Amino acid sequence: MTTRYKALFEELQKNGEGAFIPFVMLGDPNMDESASIIETLVKSGADALELGIPFSDPVADGPVIQTAANRALESGITPDGCFKIIENFRMKNDTIPIGLLVYANLVIGRGARNFYSRAAKSGVDSVLIADVPTLASGSFVEYARDAGIDAVFIAPPNADDAKLREIAGLTCGYTYFLGRSGVTGADREMSAPLSSRIALLKSSGAPPVVVGFGISKPEHVRASLEAGADGAIAGSATVAIIERRLDDRDLMHEELARFVKDMKSATKGKG
Amino acid sequence: MCVEISKGAFGDFGGMFVPEILVPTLLDLERAFEESCGDRSFASEFEGLLREYAGRETPLYRCRNLAGDTGVKIYLKREDLLHGGAHKTNQVIGQALLARRMGKTRLIAETGAGQHGVATALAGALFKMRTRVYMGSKDMARQAQNVFRMRLMGAEVTPVETGSRSLKDAINEALRDWSESYADTHYLLGTAAGPHPFPTIVREFQRVIGREAKRQILEAEGRLPDAVFACVGGGSNAIGMFADFIDEPSVRLIGVEPAGHGLHTEKHGATIERGRPGILHGSYSYLLQDEDGQIHESHSISAGLDYPGVGAQHSHLHSTGRAEYVGITDREAVDAFALLSREEGIIPALESAHALAHALKCANEAGPPRVFIVNLSGRGDKDIEQVAPYISLEARHP
């Protein structure tokens, strides 16, 4: 596990808090605004960041994040530009963990080794590839390890015990636990995660468990933590604020800040 | 760049690059398919339906007029005469039987030209399964007749407005549906692409095309053909035609890709000739993409070939040199479409017209007498409106 994730989860544990991790698409709606959105998220209390590199064919994403990817691509952002946003941010903040959420073809596009080493140099801590399941993970895990990047894997609700144990052993940095089936989106809410599934992951040695998909309200964060998770990720709900306030950036930042604060406060007083 | 393929490899290509949530479902499908392979009652029901419902076997017809002056005999494998109007029905019946075997009650599918959607709709009606077909809105406009046919047979046709609004985006949408609906739903993927085990399942259920053609040509000519031709979008009719000829080294295997406005332009769908390997829709295979790995939109006059990816086994056959892949432009395809209609009284699908156009090019090259088989994968009634602006028909008997 990279030291940034380790330090974060130790600190949260000590304070009896969970992690709130917002997701946004890099380059949405453009490179400059995207950089300033990230700063707002962090200033407002985000414990870590989950950032997407826009891909033309995001099969694991619902309409809100698809549209965000399109906005970003139309603004002309490339993976290289995404890494530049992260590099610039890292000059101001060297402690908050940063995870990338990407699709496989962007990882191998200019060579997977090259991708991971570029990510590491930019200050990225983890990479989750939405369309690389554990059984196809071989070389990706190796390249990530060589570059000092945590390879994160998803634990879906339909995984059996053996699969959960395998994921627990493989995922690094944190474990991305799906709050429900389907694709990303806030329109279908998470189902209360099964505490027994989370317990099995933890007893199998999984790194901290973070719930994603269908997380849009503070009560979802609380339900996740009550089920034994260590944090929650909100993607579509965060991105929807950007989409809704494209024509009023002050209001956009204000609403993003309020959303992050509300979600973060739901992580306090855990256990 | 090579990726490690742990499951479903065709040489360096293939694999199962999907969200984790789809893996158990794909493994269930693999298991059901493997079990069905050793099950006589499955085979006999499948073969029975292909015979009585779909109308197999299809004829192998020697063109009486076309290429008559070249010394080349062109045989057409008449998949256009199959129920549904294209080869798609073969594997749809196979997959629908698998779906029933797995206890699924709902089918979803993607479609480009609408032929796979029509085939899935007829299977949905036959097996009494709820059916939803995802179709790019661009394709719905250019294949309105097929949309009507699907709806007539009870399928719900859902327009896809994202991306290029064609086949690629319809597959994205079907995969998104499946990641939520897998418990009761089978994704009836329509081509020999996609994640393992689809490329293998689709090939095995389409293999009947080449198996029949091989026997028929041996009966007619007493020898194997010099070459077989098939159009390649995702590549299901081609792999079905090639499968039983792969181990016959004297037979050239020629896959014909859509060259659209020309391979020198950006408007084509010639994935193998102009793409490079990458990961899309679950497999590592040739793709039209930019340097970063963003997928390019393809172009073809023929909606069924308008796809920036290709089945993994075709990438493998290309890399080993066993099969050749060439391009035919929109214009050349339309010319072949018109020529076959006029010379033989057979209106081919625009997709199949690509294969025919290249066979005619080869026939016109000097050489000894040869025997060609062209997979006439579908009929062209669906393409009339699309083609009309390209063709001026003069009244011959005023």
Side-chain angles (χ1 to χ4, degrees), chain A residues 56-58 105 110 134-135 158, chain B residues 6 168 176 279 289 292-293:
Chain A
S56 53
D57 295 81
N105 205 45
R110 291 177 185 272
T134 55
L135 68 71
N158 59 348
Chain B
S6 56
K168 160 180 88 84
R176 290 177 186 127
I279 294 172
Q289 56 180 321
D292 289 324

Side-chain angles (χ1 to χ4, degrees), chain A residues 14-33:
Chain A
K14 205 170 65 191
N15 301 339
E17 289 177 27
F20 173 63
I21 308 177
F23 165 93
V24 289
M25 188 64 76
L26 289 162
D28 173 29
N30 56 56
M31 206 162 152
D32 291 345
E33 192 63 52

Side-chain angles (χ1 to χ4, degrees), chain A residues 104 106-118 139-140 143-144 147, chain B residues 1-3:
Chain A
L106 295 183
V107 175
I108 66 171
R110 291 177 185 272
R113 269 195 194 285
N114 179 56
F115 182 90
Y116 283 106
S117 78
R118 180 73 207 270
S139 48
F140 293 98
Y143 298 153
Chain B
M1 165 66 211
C2 258
V3 294

Side-chain angles (χ1 to χ4, degrees), chain B residues 65-271:
Chain B
N65 304 311
L66 203 61
D69 51 352
T70 63
V72 173
K73 291 183 194 168
I74 294 184
Y75 283 85
L76 305 177
K77 181 59 175 163
R78 298 291 307 275
E79 294 299 297
D80 61 313
L81 295 177
L82 197 67
H83 176 50
H87 73 291
K88 298 289 187 186
T89 305
N90 296 322
Q91 76 100 5
V92 161
I93 290 176
Q95 281 200 52
L97 286 169
L98 279 182
R100 196 187 62 190
R101 189 185 178 96
M102 291 185 290
K104 310 282 179 171
T105 55
R106 175 176 176 260
L107 300 174
I108 54 172
E110 84 294 342
T111 196
Q115 291 303 113
H116 176 60
V118 165
T120 305
L122 66 82
L126 179 64
F127 291 95
K128 295 283 152 265
M129 292 190 193
R130 281 180 301 134
T131 301
R132 172 184 283 183
V133 178
Y134 290 98
M135 188 170 190
S137 57
K138 184 169 101 183
D139 292 339
M140 286 179 75
R142 56 182 169 177
Q143 297 292 349
Q145 269 195 44
N146 272 343
V147 174
F148 187 81
R149 294 165 76 198
M150 287 182 257
R151 288 177 171 156
L152 193 59
M153 291 185 279
E156 180 188 351
V157 183
T158 303
V160 176
E161 301 287 356
T162 52
S164 53
R165 296 177 293 120
S166 62
L167 181 55
K168 160 180 88 84
D169 309 281
I171 296 177
N172 290 343
E173 219 44 51
L175 285 168
R176 290 177 186 127
D177 181 316
W178 209 25
S179 67
E180 186 173 332
S181 63
Y182 52 81
D184 69 350
T185 297
H186 176 63
Y187 176 18
L188 213 162
L189 187 69
T191 188
H196 174 75
F198 284 111
T200 300
I201 290 179
V202 173
R203 181 195 63 216
E204 289 309 304
F205 288 151
Q206 290 293 5
R207 181 184 283 276
V208 62
I209 301 172
R211 186 188 302 134
E212 284 179 8
K214 192 173 184 179
R215 198 188 67 242
Q216 290 165 320
I217 199 74
L218 288 171
E219 279 167 17
E221 292 290 331
R223 71 174 184 96
L224 290 170
D226 296 285
V228 297
F229 299 79
C231 61
V232 178
S236 70
N237 90 80
I239 208 66
M241 175 55 94
F242 291 174
D244 269 33
F245 290 107
I246 288 174
D247 293 331
E248 303 285 359
S250 70
V251 181
R252 286 172 66 191
L253 309 177
I254 302 175
V256 184
E257 296 191 306
H261 295 188
L263 293 181
H264 60 285
T265 70
E266 290 195 338
K267 303 209 70 159
H268 61 74
T271 308

Side-chain angles (χ1 to χ4, degrees), chain A residues 54-59 61 66 73 79 105-106 109-110 130-131 133-135 139 154 156 158 163 181-183 188, chain B residues 3-4 6 16-21 23-24 162 168 172 176 179-180 182 276 278-279 289 291-295:
Chain A
F55 179 51
S56 53
D57 295 81
V59 295
D61 286 304
Q66 286 175 47
L73 288 171
N105 205 45
L106 295 183
R110 291 177 185 272
D131 51 349
T134 55
L135 68 71
S139 48
I154 280 185
N158 59 348
K163 176 56 75 177
S181 62
V183 294
R188 251 185 75 228
Chain B
V3 294
E4 203 176 300
S6 56
M16 201 192 266
F17 295 97
V18 293
E20 191 78 57
I21 196 161
V23 170
T162 52
K168 160 180 88 84
N172 290 343
R176 290 177 186 127
S179 67
E180 186 173 332
Y182 52 81
R276 67 184 174 100
I279 294 172
Q289 56 180 321
E291 290 172 342
D292 289 324
Q294 306 289 1
I295 308 306

